[in-house]
Amino acid sequence: MAVVPPNSQQEMRRRNLSRVLYAVAGAGPVSRASIAGRIGLTRASVSTLVEELLRAGFLVELGPGRSGGVGRPGNALALTGLGPCGLGAEIGVDHLTVCAVDLGGRVRARIGDETPNGEAGPDSVLRRLSSLVDRVTTEAGAAGLRPAGLAVAVPGLVTRSSANVVRAPNLGWYDTDLGARLGGPGASLPLTVENEANFAALAELWLAGEGSARRDFIHVSAEVGIGAGVVIDGELLRGTRGFAGELGHVPVQPDGPRCACGGSGCLEQYAGEAALLRAAGIAVRGAGGRTAALARLRARASDGDEAALRALRRAGRALGIALAGAANLLDPRAVLLGGALTGLAPWLLPALEGELRQRTTTPGNVPEVAVSAVGSDAPSLGAAHSVVRTVLNDPLPYAVAH
Amino acid sequence: MAVVPPNSQQEMRRRNLSRVLYAVAGAGPVSRASIAGRIGLTRASVSTLVEELLRAGFLVELGPGRSGGVGRPGNALALTGLGPCGLGAEIGVDHLTVCAVDLGGRVRARIGDETPNGEAGPDSVLRRLSSLVDRVTTEAGAAGLRPAGLAVAVPGLVTRSSANVVRAPNLGWYDTDLGARLGGPGASLPLTVENEANFAALAELWLAGEGSARRDFIHVSAEVGIGAGVVIDGELLRGTRGFAGELGHVPVQPDGPRCACGGSGCLEQYAGEAALLRAAGIAVRGAGGRTAALARLRARASDGDEAALRALRRAGRALGIALAGAANLLDPRAVLLGGALTGLAPWLLPALEGELRQRTTTPGNVPEVAVSAVGSDAPSLGAAHSVVRTVLNDPLPYAVAH
């Protein structure tokens, strides 16, 4: 007897169930006929798959006339607002965020906590994170949702397919295994840990629309450090060890200032928050100081303060140099600015785009430059959606028993 | 009736035929039992597939005892030395190469031509290329081989999935469509055109062994310009437009010398052949002058000439800076030096590796650095093998009628 090949009937059914769920997720309330058209199966096959997904509780049938289209009334389908959900968390340098996202992509619970995490040590931070996870789980539970997994975004290098934070200098964490340390009810959930720039890029890929322009891009996200998520053909590039996307340590002036990474003249030394504020002559004071200092930088730039404008031009130029190198290597369709860079984009972009245009090898090779559409919650949203997609990819194991 | 899904029985059989061929290609003469073990199918299934491939002429059964293993004699299988073959060509700045590679990966015909192509214009160069293609086709035909396709490596940017050379400054070609211009019998063959650095990287992936170290790497190849092929998880990164891998135009000193690309301080201005020879005080004279000048550079470096050593250190440092940026972005397992860099590696590597170690964000993140195993024919070999793999991926359309 032959070994069961990977493309068996069972595997095909599993894949088709997933395709139906993604078709509904992508289109909102939608008829069986429209699903059939989208995924290239017959209406009869789709009806069988839909019945199974209705029985298992992943889809709901909306009332007549809600589909907005032609055909029999009462046939519009939507993803359930009950059952499995994804928990996403972000450990920032001075905040924690936890949210719950349902299968339809709606944020159903969200709790934030603004406390500096940089000197607290992993145990204290993870204890607070566990308590936020518990509170969000309780809130989601009251709404009929149960977490299918927890994904955590961290500002550091994470070994591929592990929960081990190899290096997060801005938190002071080195070789910190979150799997072993996360306590509370959250500890029993499947856990994923990923660099925050990676989850932010995935949020951009999954949430900012279906255009092909958003399937090949470099998403730059700055908080205290500068990271990037590289998406190629709709897939996140993780790298051999999981450390890809370290744009902040691309050299832009090889003989420039020393960097904590051991190199010199890294992008972070010109466009990182600390360098930017220092160059603009703005001091960071106390807790919440970073946010206030960035607001002051924006205000001064708006007022035409020359030191602020010069610091932003210098940062924009450094970003343009690093991104020109990245664009020559990767030929992305777009470069997207996220995180703290979003609010500074009006002053960063002219110099950034100038360098990019000048330094890419051919006019057709200049990527589009745009500001991220998702916003500052991108890391925790990307994390929560990664769990949701685990369910959509293979729903049946998450079905409630009948 | 359902639309035939992509994973039908027929598709599965096609895929399994391909897996058997790759198992034989990867192992040399091999028994049915050993194939079954390698691809995870039963011996009975493999026997059926093998019979079909023997009938269609892709496999041959070697005489008894040739398998070197246990079991019934006469059961060692090998890929045929007859039938479909791949034609690979390289258009270099001062040479043309065409070769024919059979399904077993053996080079069965190869013709080279050392003439400067830089000022001849595309029509003249492509006329000579066509005549070489015809000669190699005739030679291969006499050995019982017929070309299944022609793949051409060019030193320039090629639009993804097209035969259009957008820009090859060292040849003086701009928007040159090879499909429309290649005459002769070769014109009736399926044609693929690709950047030479990409085909060189693919040759490294396909020919230099099966180790995982060779599935995530940046392959740097220098001829007159510097290009790179980026391989991620065993796949070549082409980029949105097909222009990925332009390592030569990564900025290493943003205020450095102007480059023909419009930028300044590009890697090519420090480690490109012209820059290297100029810095070492070596002039290039007449046809074949580049090769002679590079040999002179090697000789002077061996003799300890300070100008030569300084130029090579500077080039090695520039390569290290550009590659550190690339490594921080892509986290490859290895960096491989190919093309003209191979012969200069002993003098380039110390500075290159020094920069790489210093500028990658964490010790575990430093990629291995090695010299390409394939050699200077990598572009034409990669090209020919790309055609061979088209056949191995889906053999039946290439079967001779019985």
Side-chain angles (χ1 to χ4, degrees):
Chain A
M1 202 196 76
V3 173
V4 178
N7 40 11
S8 63
Q9 287 292 116
Q10 199 180 355
E11 177 55 33
M12 203 189 303
R13 173 169 145 270
R14 193 182 309 206
R15 197 188 302 173
N16 285 337
L17 288 169
S18 173
R19 291 167 73 204
V20 169
L21 288 179
Y22 277 106
V24 178
V30 66
S31 69
R32 289 166 176 78
S34 166
I35 295 171
R38 283 169 168 259
I39 66 178
L41 289 177
T42 59
R43 194 156 157 191
S45 307
V46 167
S47 286
T48 310
L49 295 162
V50 163
E51 289 318 309
E52 184 161 1
L53 291 165
L54 285 166
R55 263 200 316 277
F58 294 107
L59 292 181
V60 290
E61 199 139 17
L62 302 180
R66 300 269 303 270
S67 75
V70 293
R72 276 185 298 148
N75 60 356
L77 298 158
L79 282 158
T80 179
L82 304 171
C85 69
L87 294 187
E90 182 186 7
I91 302 174
V93 174
D94 46 19
H95 67 100
L96 294 177
T97 309
V98 179
C99 66
V101 170
D102 69 18
L103 293 190
R106 292 164 292 251
V107 177
R108 301 287 293 279
R110 183 188 179 287
I111 304 183
D113 162 344
E114 309 268 323
T115 320
N117 296 320
E119 276 142 41
D123 286 328
S124 147
V125 172
L126 294 173
R127 220 168 17 242
R128 279 190 293 118
L129 184 72
S130 288
S131 126
L132 295 188
V133 167
D134 292 349
R135 284 167 56 197
V136 167
T137 301
T138 304
E139 201 177 319
L145 292 163
R146 55 174 199 287
L150 168 65
V152 183
V154 295
L157 299 178
V158 183
T159 304
R160 193 170 174 159
S161 306
S162 87
N164 189 42
V165 180
V166 173
R167 201 185 130 86
N170 293 322
L171 291 175
W173 295 9
Y174 298 89
D175 274 318
T176 304
D177 191 327
L178 267 55
R181 285 164 181 262
L182 258 182
S188 58
L189 291 173
L191 174 69
T192 315
V193 181
E194 184 74 75
N195 179 277
E196 56 89 19
N198 285 352
F199 272 142
L202 288 171
E204 192 68 34
L205 174 70
W206 294 332
L207 304 181
E210 299 277 296
S212 66
R214 294 290 182 267
R215 291 180 57 80
D216 282 280
F217 60 81
I218 301 173
H219 181 275
V220 187
S221 59
E223 210 205 26
V224 173
I226 294 183
V230 176
V231 173
I232 293 170
D233 277 343
E235 296 281 341
L236 180 70
L237 174 77
R238 287 199 162 79
T240 302
R241 303 156 194 83
F243 304 162
E246 286 292 303
L247 187 74
H249 300 285
V250 167
V252 297
Q253 287 279 7
D255 304 312
R258 296 286 298 174
C259 181
C261 77
S264 51
C266 298
L267 173 61
E268 229 164 81
Q269 295 303 314
Y270 301 88
E273 246 176 51
L276 195 48
L277 292 170
R278 200 182 319 117
I282 295 173
V284 178
R285 288 195 202 86
R290 281 181 47 232
T291 313
L294 283 174
R296 213 144 60 233
L297 176 62
R298 273 196 301 278
R300 289 201 193 165
S302 298
D303 291 346
D305 176 81
E306 194 41 50
L309 292 174
R310 201 167 42 233
L312 287 162
R313 269 198 307 274
R314 179 167 166 270
R317 186 170 182 235
L319 279 162
I321 292 166
L323 286 167
N328 282 324
L329 268 175
L330 302 175
D331 184 24
R333 190 175 300 272
V335 165
L336 305 170
L337 298 191
L341 299 175
T342 318
L344 301 171
W347 302 283
L348 295 169
L349 286 182
L352 189 166
E353 293 184 298
E355 294 293 330
L356 206 52
R357 259 195 312 276
Q358 191 201 325
R359 295 179 186 278
T360 39
T361 46
T362 180
N365 200 9
V366 185
E368 173 202 354
V369 178
V371 169
S372 160
V374 178
S376 63
D377 270 349
S380 56
L381 286 174
H385 275 269
S386 76
V387 178
V388 166
R389 294 174 76 92
T390 304
V391 179
L392 298 181
N393 288 341
D394 187 11
L396 295 187
Y398 299 92
V400 264
H402 285 281
Chain B
M1 202 195 77
V3 172
V4 178
N7 41 9
S8 62
Q9 287 292 116
Q10 199 180 355
E11 177 55 32
M12 205 189 304
R13 174 170 144 269
R14 192 182 310 205
R15 198 189 302 174
N16 284 336
L17 288 169
S18 173
R19 290 166 74 203
V20 169
L21 289 178
Y22 277 106
V24 178
V30 66
S31 69
R32 288 165 176 79
S34 167
I35 296 171
R38 284 170 166 259
I39 67 179
L41 290 177
T42 60
R43 194 157 157 186
S45 307
V46 166
S47 286
T48 310
L49 295 161
V50 162
E51 289 318 308
E52 184 161 2
L53 291 165
L54 285 166
R55 266 200 315 277
F58 294 106
L59 291 181
V60 290
E61 198 139 18
L62 302 179
R66 299 269 302 271
S67 72
V70 294
R72 276 184 296 148
N75 61 354
L77 299 158
L79 282 157
T80 178
L82 304 171
C85 69
L87 294 187
E90 182 188 4
I91 302 175
V93 174
D94 46 19
H95 68 100
L96 294 176
T97 308
V98 180
C99 67
V101 169
D102 69 19
L103 292 190
R106 292 164 292 251
V107 177
R108 300 287 295 276
R110 184 189 177 287
I111 304 183
D113 162 344
E114 307 268 324
T115 321
N117 295 320
E119 276 141 41
D123 285 330
S124 148
V125 172
L126 293 173
R127 218 163 24 240
R128 280 189 293 118
L129 183 72
S130 289
S131 125
L132 295 189
V133 167
D134 292 350
R135 284 167 55 198
V136 167
T137 302
T138 305
E139 202 177 316
L145 292 163
R146 52 172 203 289
L150 168 64
V152 183
V154 296
L157 299 178
V158 182
T159 304
R160 193 170 173 158
S161 306
S162 87
N164 189 42
V165 180
V166 173
R167 199 184 133 88
N170 293 323
L171 291 175
W173 295 8
Y174 297 89
D175 273 317
T176 304
D177 191 329
L178 267 54
R181 285 164 181 260
L182 259 182
S188 58
L189 289 173
L191 175 69
T192 315
V193 181
E194 185 74 74
N195 179 276
E196 56 91 17
N198 284 351
F199 272 141
L202 287 171
E204 191 68 34
L205 174 69
W206 294 332
L207 304 181
E210 300 276 297
S212 68
R214 293 292 182 264
R215 291 180 57 80
D216 281 280
F217 60 82
I218 302 173
H219 181 273
V220 187
S221 59
E223 211 205 23
V224 173
I226 294 182
V230 176
V231 173
I232 294 170
D233 276 343
E235 296 281 340
L236 180 71
L237 174 77
R238 288 199 161 78
T240 302
R241 304 155 193 84
F243 304 163
E246 286 293 302
L247 187 75
H249 300 285
V250 167
V252 296
Q253 287 279 6
D255 303 312
R258 295 287 297 176
C259 180
C261 77
S264 50
C266 298
L267 174 60
E268 227 164 83
Q269 296 302 312
Y270 301 87
E273 245 176 53
L276 196 46
L277 292 170
R278 200 181 320 115
I282 296 173
V284 179
R285 290 195 200 83
R290 279 180 49 232
T291 314
L294 283 175
R296 212 144 60 235
L297 177 61
R298 272 196 302 277
R300 289 199 193 166
S302 298
D303 291 346
D305 176 83
E306 194 39 53
L309 293 174
R310 202 167 41 231
L312 286 163
R313 269 198 307 272
R314 181 167 166 267
R317 184 169 185 236
L319 279 162
I321 292 166
L323 286 167
N328 282 325
L329 269 175
L330 302 175
D331 184 24
R333 190 174 299 272
V335 165
L336 305 169
L337 298 190
L341 299 176
T342 318
L344 302 171
W347 301 285
L348 295 170
L349 286 182
L352 189 165
E353 293 183 299
E355 293 294 331
L356 207 52
R357 260 195 311 275
Q358 192 201 325
R359 295 178 186 279
T360 39
T361 45
T362 180
N365 199 10
V366 185
E368 172 203 357
V369 178
V371 169
S372 158
V374 179
S376 63
D377 271 349
S380 56
L381 285 174
H385 275 269
S386 76
V387 177
V388 166
R389 293 175 77 92
T390 305
V391 178
L392 297 182
N393 288 341
D394 187 11
L396 294 186
Y398 299 92
V400 265
H402 285 280

